[in-house]
């Protein structure tokens, strides 16, 4: 795949970039290693000052970088600006909290005495250069939620971004440079996917994090495992959205639309499978389908656009294949279901779509639909709702709508997911851990759990 900005709203190639050669990559790896030796010795106050400065600059750049993101991957520009603001918030959160999250810990006095020590500390120390392999769908947020905690912990970052968002990738390196971080603290590597393995095998790279597809995660995890390097993987998701009879059905249907089509439906944590109790199924379906039909599909640079183009022609083709497979096998189309053919929208658009009558044999039941396509399931009771929800190889997040406390307890206990969001849609926040189970990956980002993922957790024992 070429490293290029191709506007998904019209298919026009705007900029192309040459991949970095072996000499330049070696220079950058040497720089990362050298910078780490000195940067690791800086204090939290110094790192926080730099990170807050980067957050200020990002806010100043919000309009411009928002338009760049929209041009590169097609999200509505109002969502792109919101993404930039969210990144600045997360940077400030880590600047404020990292020192406390990584403060030395002292075990209980009784355990210290029992070990024969006079004092024991648990200390968090940085690992070194961390390679981040990041996707295009949230081209700022996915990077910042790795970079902010990694830099505050004293690590340095090497970014291999998706090949279709090179301008955003280069902006991120420039952002940290302008904020005053030492040269080499954060570097963008303009390389193709075929160059990742060699970098991951390099002894100077101490760990890796990847957000992306399951095949990409398997490839990185395989190499990292061979090299005995720590990894954090956030892979696909096919999140359930369960609506029970006690729920506010109007509100649940309204939020469901945003939960499905945010970021043009191209989000791992977007709700994708809508599992509705039979008692409220018809009422929910009527409201949900009507609202999906009412969404404006159009130019993502226009402020009133709800759904822009998919990021690539291949992405649209993949989505079409899932829908076509389902309809050939008997699924009913309640809205959408075929690509838009409007001359004023020449790009890779696909309309908001709702399918029902889904069976286990259909690909869309098993695979992630990365675009504005929702599947509706009818559940007879809570047990069946849980069964349908867990009938997936993914386990990223989940959403449940109920006013019954006993039902909430049951969903929290039994749903196989990294998060359960009650009477609301899944959303990431810097204070809360984020990640999945099963084939959605392992490890956690954000919160204290996320910042400690790339730390050497060191026991310091003092004799009596």
């Amino acid at each position: 795949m070429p490293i290029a900005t191709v506007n998904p709203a019209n298919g026009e190639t705007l900029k192309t970039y040459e991949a970095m050669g072996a000499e330049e990559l070696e220079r950058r790896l040497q720089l990362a290693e050298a910078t780490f030796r000195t940067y690791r010795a800086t204090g939290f106050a110094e790192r926080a000052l730099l990170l807050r400065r980067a957050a200020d600059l990002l806010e100043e750049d919000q309009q411009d970088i928002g338009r760049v993101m929209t041009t590169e991957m097609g999200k509505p520009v109002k969502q792109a600006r919101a993404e930039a603001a969210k990144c600045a918030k997360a940077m400030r959160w880590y600047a404020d909290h990292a020192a406390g999250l990584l403060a030395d810990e002292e075990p209980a006095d009784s355990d210290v005495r029992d070990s024969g020590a006079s004092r024991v500390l648990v200390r968090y120390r940085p690992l070194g250069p961390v390679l981040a392999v990041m996707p295009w769908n949230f081209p700022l947020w996915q990077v910042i939620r790795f970079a902010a905690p990694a830099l505050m912990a004293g690590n340095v970052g090497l970014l291999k971004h998706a090949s279709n968002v090179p301008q955003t990738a280069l902006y991120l390196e420039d952002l940290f440079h302008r904020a005053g971080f030492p040269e080499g603290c954060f570097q963008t590597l303009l390389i193709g996917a075929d160059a990742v393995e060699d970098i991951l095998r390099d002894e100077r790279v101490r760990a890796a994090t990847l957000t992306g597809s399951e095949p990409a995660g398997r490839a990185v995890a395989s190499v990292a495992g061979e090299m005995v390097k720590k990894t954090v993987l956030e892979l696909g998701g096919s999140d359930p959205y369960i609506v029970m009879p006690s729920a506010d059905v109007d509100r649940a249907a309204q939020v469901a639309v945003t939960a499905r089509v945010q970021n043009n439906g191209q989000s791992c944590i977007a709700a994708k499978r809508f599992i509705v109790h039979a008692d409220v199924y018809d009422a929910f379906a009527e409201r949900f389908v009507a609202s999906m039909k009412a969404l404006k599909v159009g130019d993502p640079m226009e402020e009133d656009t709800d759904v822009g183009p998919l990021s690539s022609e291949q992405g649209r083709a993949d989505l079409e294949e899932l829908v076509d497979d389902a309809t050939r096998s008997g699924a009913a189309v309640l809205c959408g279901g075929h690509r838009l053919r409007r001359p004023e929208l020449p790009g890779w658009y696909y309309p908001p779509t709702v399918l029902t009558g889904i069976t286990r044999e259909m690909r869309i039941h098993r695979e992630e639909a990365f675009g504005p396509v929702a599947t509706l399931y009818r559940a007879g009771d809570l047990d069946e709702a849980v069964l349908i929800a867990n009938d997936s190889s993914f386990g990223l997040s989940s959403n449940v709508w109920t006013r019954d406390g006993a039902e909430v307890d049951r969903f929290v206990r039994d749903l196989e997911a990294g998060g359960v969001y009650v009477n609301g849609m899944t959303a990431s926040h810097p204070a809360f851990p984020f990640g999945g189970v099963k084939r959605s990956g392992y490890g956690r980002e954000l919160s204290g759990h996320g910042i400690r993922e790339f730390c050497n957790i060191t026991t310091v024992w003092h004799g009596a």
Side-chain angles (χ1 to χ4, degrees):
M1 182 178 182
I3 301 173
T5 297
V6 182
N7 188 344
N10 55 28
E12 180 183 357
T13 299
L14 302 176
K15 286 189 177 183
T16 59
Y17 297 82
E18 290 292 327
M20 291 176 177
E23 185 176 331
E24 176 62 11
L25 288 175
E26 173 61 23
R27 186 189 72 81
R28 286 173 176 261
L29 287 168
Q30 288 182 10
L31 179 59
E33 182 183 43
T35 300
F36 173 65
R37 293 195 197 103
T38 54
Y39 182 70
R40 66 178 300 171
T42 59
F44 287 112
E46 181 180 346
R47 298 173 200 164
L49 180 66
L50 296 172
L51 196 60
R52 290 191 188 98
R53 191 177 299 155
D56 292 342
L57 291 170
L58 180 55
E59 283 187 334
E60 292 174 10
D61 298 340
Q62 188 174 344
Q63 296 288 338
D64 291 339
I65 190 57
R67 293 180 69 85
V68 169
M69 285 191 285
T70 295
T71 299
E72 291 201 306
M73 57 72 57
K75 72 172 75 228
V77 70
K78 59 188 176 184
Q79 295 181 25
R81 292 195 301 268
E83 181 176 337
K86 182 176 183 177
C87 289
K89 175 181 177 180
M91 294 158 85
R92 293 195 179 100
W93 190 88
Y94 272 109
D96 292 343
H97 293 90
L101 295 172
L102 299 181
D104 291 348
E105 298 174 6
E106 298 193 33
D109 289 343
S110 59
D111 292 326
V112 173
R113 290 193 299 270
D114 185 60
S115 76
S118 61
R119 188 185 185 196
V120 176
L121 295 176
V122 177
R123 178 161 293 175
Y124 296 94
R125 298 185 297 155
L127 290 179
V130 179
L131 173 66
V133 182
M134 293 288 111
W136 48 262
N137 57 336
F138 291 95
L140 276 186
W141 173 241
Q142 303 282 12
V143 177
I144 292 300
R145 73 185 193 187
F146 136 76
L151 290 170
M152 283 304 303
N155 296 301
V156 301
L158 295 164
L159 170 64
K160 189 284 180 213
H161 217 325
S163 293
N164 61 331
V165 290
Q167 292 186 65
T168 306
L170 292 169
Y171 167 81
L172 283 159
E173 179 178 299
D174 183 62
L175 174 69
F176 289 112
H177 174 75
R178 287 186 290 138
F181 279 90
E183 185 183 7
C185 266
F186 186 93
Q187 299 181 81
T188 288
L189 308 180
L190 286 184
I191 56 175
D194 58 348
V196 170
E197 180 175 344
D198 286 345
I199 294 171
L200 189 52
R201 289 185 181 278
D202 194 291
E203 293 292 346
R204 291 165 292 192
V205 174
R206 301 300 179 86
T209 179
L210 177 141
T211 298
S213 68
E214 185 181 337
R218 288 178 183 275
V220 165
S222 176
V223 175
E226 184 181 339
M227 301 301 295
V228 197
K229 293 183 180 182
K230 175 70 178 289
T231 54
V232 171
L233 303 181
E234 193 264 278
L235 308 178
S238 190
D239 292 2
Y241 188 103
I242 301 170
V243 183
M244 299 298 288
S246 66
D248 181 338
V249 175
D250 286 337
R251 178 64 178 159
Q254 178 187 6
V255 174
V257 175
T258 303
R260 175 63 285 227
V261 304
Q262 60 175 325
N263 208 48
N264 303 337
Q266 300 167 123
S267 170
C268 295
I269 58 169
K272 298 182 177 79
R273 297 177 295 133
F274 296 82
I275 304 162
V276 186
H277 192 283
D279 291 352
V280 292
Y281 179 91
D282 290 339
F284 176 89
E286 179 183 0
R287 292 162 174 76
F288 181 52
V289 172
S291 296
M292 290 283 276
K293 287 181 178 178
L295 293 170
K296 179 185 175 182
V297 179
D299 184 346
M301 287 295 184
E302 294 181 2
E303 294 292 333
D304 60 346
T305 290
D306 298 307
V307 179
L310 299 188
S311 68
S312 69
E313 190 170 14
Q314 185 61 54
R316 182 175 64 177
D318 292 343
L319 192 65
E320 285 178 315
E321 288 181 10
L322 288 181
V323 173
D324 291 347
D325 173 79
T327 56
R328 284 194 303 268
S329 301
V333 179
L334 302 185
C335 67
H338 53 82
R339 70 168 64 182
L340 293 178
R341 300 188 186 279
R342 289 159 49 183
E344 75 276 17
L345 298 177
W348 302 311
Y349 291 88
Y350 198 85
T353 296
V354 181
L355 304 177
T356 191
I358 306 300
T359 63
R360 297 187 78 247
E361 293 71 29
M362 297 173 185
R363 288 178 55 201
I364 202 165
H365 178 78
R366 305 186 306 273
E367 300 177 27
E368 180 179 22
F370 221 56
V373 175
T375 51
L376 265 178
Y377 297 77
R378 186 191 301 264
D381 55 23
L382 185 148
D383 290 336
E384 187 177 9
V386 171
L387 187 66
I388 296 170
N390 288 341
D391 188 23
S392 171
S393 61
F394 298 109
L396 194 53
S397 189
S398 61
N399 311 259
V400 297
W401 289 76
T402 176
R403 292 169 171 156
D404 185 318
E407 289 182 347
V408 171
D409 291 342
R410 178 72 190 285
F411 285 126
V412 171
R413 185 192 76 185
D414 290 348
L415 288 177
E416 297 169 350
V420 180
Y421 285 71
V422 182
N423 297 326
M425 61 178 273
T426 299
S428 53
H429 185 283
F432 310 138
F434 179 84
V437 295
K438 300 198 286 189
R439 292 186 180 178
S440 287
Y442 52 75
R444 289 297 180 265
E445 297 176 292
L446 304 177
S447 76
H449 297 278
I451 197 171
R452 297 184 193 109
E453 286 282 7
F454 295 117
C455 287
N456 176 3
I457 304 173
T458 309
T459 298
V460 182
W461 188 95
H462 296 265

